[in-house]
Amino acid sequence: MALTKFIHDGDAVDYTPGASLAAGAVVVQGDLVGIARVAIPANTLGTLAVTGVFEVPKATGAGTALAAGTTVYWDATNQRASTTSAGNKLLGKVVKAAADADASVWVRLSQ
């Protein structure tokens, strides 16, 4: 008797939103963070990417630069990547450094 069964590669997971999602929307389900690659209408089955590199918003101003390799978390309150883990969910690792003035950063999703 088989104990496990392969389902799929896991690059994306099924998701049916209660309200319409725009492409690029970040969705947090427990400790699972995914990003809608395309818009998903309300109550319609779609998928969320859980792997890959995405350009996500970050804070700007003095002291907000992020070096490649930095672990970042999703700050759902401010809708941006943050280095603060408390109260936020793991998003991934920075793959392209972002300066203080940059409003976004490239992040490789991690679960």
Side-chain angles (χ1 to χ4, degrees), residues 82-107:
S82 170
T83 56
T84 302
S85 63
N88 298 320
K89 300 296 181 176
L90 177 63
L91 185 61
K93 301 261 190 216
V94 172
V95 296
K96 181 180 176 188
D100 287 343
D102 293 333
S104 62
V105 61
W106 289 14
V107 176

Side-chain angles (χ1 to χ4, degrees):
M1 172 192 249
L3 299 177
T4 63
K5 177 181 163 186
F6 178 79
I7 304 300
H8 59 75
D9 290 330
D11 293 333
V13 295
D14 290 346
Y15 183 71
T16 303
S20 293
L21 284 181
V26 177
V27 175
V28 177
Q29 299 178 91
D31 287 330
L32 179 66
V33 177
I35 299 177
R37 291 184 194 164
V38 298
I40 307 172
N43 305 309
T44 302
L45 179 63
T47 60
L48 301 176
V50 292
T51 64
V53 175
F54 289 83
E55 182 176 11
V56 298
K58 69 172 254 324
T60 57
T64 63
L66 296 169
T70 301
T71 298
V72 291
Y73 302 85
W74 184 248
D75 175 349
T77 301
N78 296 302
Q79 296 289 293
R80 63 186 181 206
S82 170
T83 56
T84 302
S85 63
N88 298 320
K89 300 296 181 176
L90 177 63
L91 185 61
K93 301 261 190 216
V94 172
V95 296
K96 181 180 176 188
D100 287 343
D102 293 333
S104 62
V105 61
W106 289 14
V107 176
R108 180 183 177 275
L109 299 182
S110 301
Q111 300 301 314

